[in-house]
Amino acid sequence: MTRIFITGVAGFIGFHLADLLLEEGCEVHGFDAVNDYYDPQLKEARLAILKQKKAFTFTRAKLEDAAAVDQAVVNSQPDVIVHLAAQAGVRYSIENPRAYVESNIIGTFNLMEAAQKVRPAHLLMASTSSVYGANTEMPYRETAKADTQMSFYAATKKANEAMGHAWAHIHDLPTTMFRFFTVYGSWGRPDMAPHLFTDAILSGREINVFNHGKMQRDFTYVGDLVRAIRLLFDVIPARPNSTEEIAQGDSLSPVAPFRLVNIGNSNSVELEKFIAEIEAAAGVKAKKNYMEMQKGDVPATWADATLLMSLTGYQPQTSISEGIVEFVAWFREYYGK
């Protein structure tokens, strides 16, 4: 499996995955619109690094452009397709829900339709821990019901899971969908808490601490995340002949070559501890503005990564202290602070 097609390659996770694969000697074709949801210069800087590698090629276009998606996929003839592109952000989905329909629903359909034409060995698509919504039983398990999404972003991602399952069933296309848990690390998104907090702390500004700090997140270091995705390439789901073939705790569908996999650190960290780690790495105390919970948000996330471990023999292991030190060091160097 040497030819890999990645959507969202100029994004945070897509960049790190492409970089890992190129170091392994894979050929990577990236697809990205490089939109202005957040600073396009950061995306261009990521792309500039990837473009230094001869095995990297790139298409700049929107997922909503079915012809562009189709042409890029067919021309590259990938062994594996990794669909990471999406309109992200829980809060922004309240302000501009149409963007999520166009990118996450229509764009994902376009990608799946193109994938059917080239028949890759494996289609892998990103979902999110946000699909667990109002679930209170933790840690979250892939086999638990997830029917109470709290944001429109999460709803479109749950729709992607349903679309992926139906497509896998109809077309017998092996598909794995992974649920990410609060990913952080170098080259991270400016709209995410690690970036917002670090920028404000180093600049002497207040940080907004929602739900009065009574929040918990399963923070997952990006290096661990992309390693897990890479290992899942080789764990190709097959349609079972009977339910007896499905191991206990496996989310493998009984009617399709389809599986859901959590990728998380399996350790829910309190928001106050997370802020303290940034303070320690930055050498500056935070000024805190405690606020109410924002619409669409959830108070806690916590992954059960047992299935990932059983499938790949791997589990994310970077501690929050190690990851934050690396992130703050990158932030200081990139922004000169």
Side-chain angles (χ1 to χ4, degrees):
M1 297 183 183
T2 59
R3 295 188 306 275
I4 317 297
F5 187 95
I6 302 175
T7 68
V9 77
F12 172 36
I13 297 168
F15 161 72
H16 280 282
L17 179 61
D19 192 50
L20 173 68
L21 295 171
L22 289 164
E23 287 298 315
E24 286 190 2
C26 296
E27 296 175 23
V28 175
H29 187 85
F31 186 99
D32 203 298
V34 195
N35 66 23
D36 60 359
Y37 169 64
Y38 64 81
D39 183 11
Q41 288 187 340
L42 181 59
K43 300 178 183 181
E44 296 290 1
R46 296 179 187 133
L47 275 176
I49 293 172
L50 297 177
K51 287 178 177 178
Q52 292 174 8
K53 314 278 180 75
K54 290 183 179 179
F56 178 74
T57 53
F58 178 64
T59 297
R60 187 183 297 256
K62 291 184 176 182
L63 282 173
E64 300 94 305
D65 185 343
V69 174
D70 193 74
Q71 183 178 20
V73 171
V74 171
N75 287 350
S76 58
Q77 290 292 305
D79 301 305
V80 174
I81 295 176
V82 188
H83 179 39
L84 299 171
Q87 178 57 60
V90 168
R91 290 158 195 155
Y92 186 61
S93 69
I94 298 172
E95 302 167 16
N96 190 10
R98 184 173 296 277
Y100 292 74
V101 174
E102 292 171 349
S103 180
N104 299 1
I105 303 296
I106 297 172
T108 296
F109 169 72
N110 290 341
L111 189 278
M112 292 192 307
E113 195 169 41
Q116 172 58 19
K117 295 178 181 177
V118 298
R119 303 291 304 174
H122 199 175
L123 170 63
L124 301 101
M125 301 197 291
S127 186
T128 172
S129 61
S130 295
V131 300
Y132 289 107
N135 286 26
T136 56
E137 185 176 337
M138 294 190 191
Y140 292 145
R141 294 177 176 84
E142 296 91 342
T143 52
K145 287 185 69 174
D147 295 335
T148 51
Q149 286 73 49
M150 303 279 280
S151 68
F152 196 65
Y153 163 67
T156 61
K157 283 300 194 176
K158 184 64 191 299
N160 286 169
E161 293 182 357
M163 291 161 61
H165 180 270
W167 205 257
H169 169 72
I170 294 166
H171 298 290
D172 203 35
L173 183 63
T175 302
T176 296
M177 296 203 68
F178 24 72
R179 290 170 173 170
F180 296 154
F181 283 73
T182 315
V183 189
Y184 74 100
S186 60
W187 297 97
R189 281 169 36 200
D191 61 319
M192 297 290 285
H195 197 291
L196 293 170
F197 287 171
T198 301
D199 186 33
I201 289 170
L202 290 175
S203 302
R205 301 193 311 272
E206 282 189 341
I207 61 172
N208 293 327
V209 183
F210 293 104
N211 203 33
H212 300 277
K214 295 179 174 59
M215 304 271 281
Q216 290 178 285
R217 288 291 182 269
D218 194 337
F219 292 99
T220 309
Y221 182 64
V222 69
D224 291 343
L225 179 91
V226 297
R227 171 56 57 190
I229 294 172
R230 171 62 188 90
L231 291 170
L232 285 169
F233 283 11
D234 303 318
V235 185
I236 302 175
R239 189 191 305 262
N241 293 315
S242 67
T243 55
E244 285 73 26
E245 293 182 8
I246 304 174
Q248 185 174 3
D250 194 348
S251 61
L252 181 67
S253 167
V255 295
F258 176 91
R259 179 183 276 123
L260 293 165
V261 183
N262 286 339
I263 304 180
N265 214 47
S266 301
N267 181 28
S268 199
V269 175
E270 293 181 357
L271 184 58
E272 294 282 12
K273 174 174 171 49
F274 180 72
I275 295 168
E277 293 290 354
I278 297 177
E279 290 175 324
V284 181
K285 279 301 224 183
K287 300 174 183 177
K288 301 173 186 176
N289 176 34
Y290 289 98
M291 302 178 70
E292 298 296 324
M293 177 82 83
Q294 284 215 327
K295 284 184 179 179
D297 223 340
V298 295
T301 64
W302 182 8
D304 183 332
T306 304
L307 179 57
L308 174 67
M309 180 64 181
S310 67
L311 294 173
T312 66
Y314 178 80
Q315 62 182 28
Q317 51 200 300
T318 303
S319 71
I320 194 73
S321 299
E322 294 173 282
I324 287 299
V325 166
E326 185 271 347
F327 171 74
V328 172
W330 168 81
F331 187 96
R332 283 183 181 278
E333 181 181 359
Y334 183 79
Y335 289 101
K337 293 195 176 184

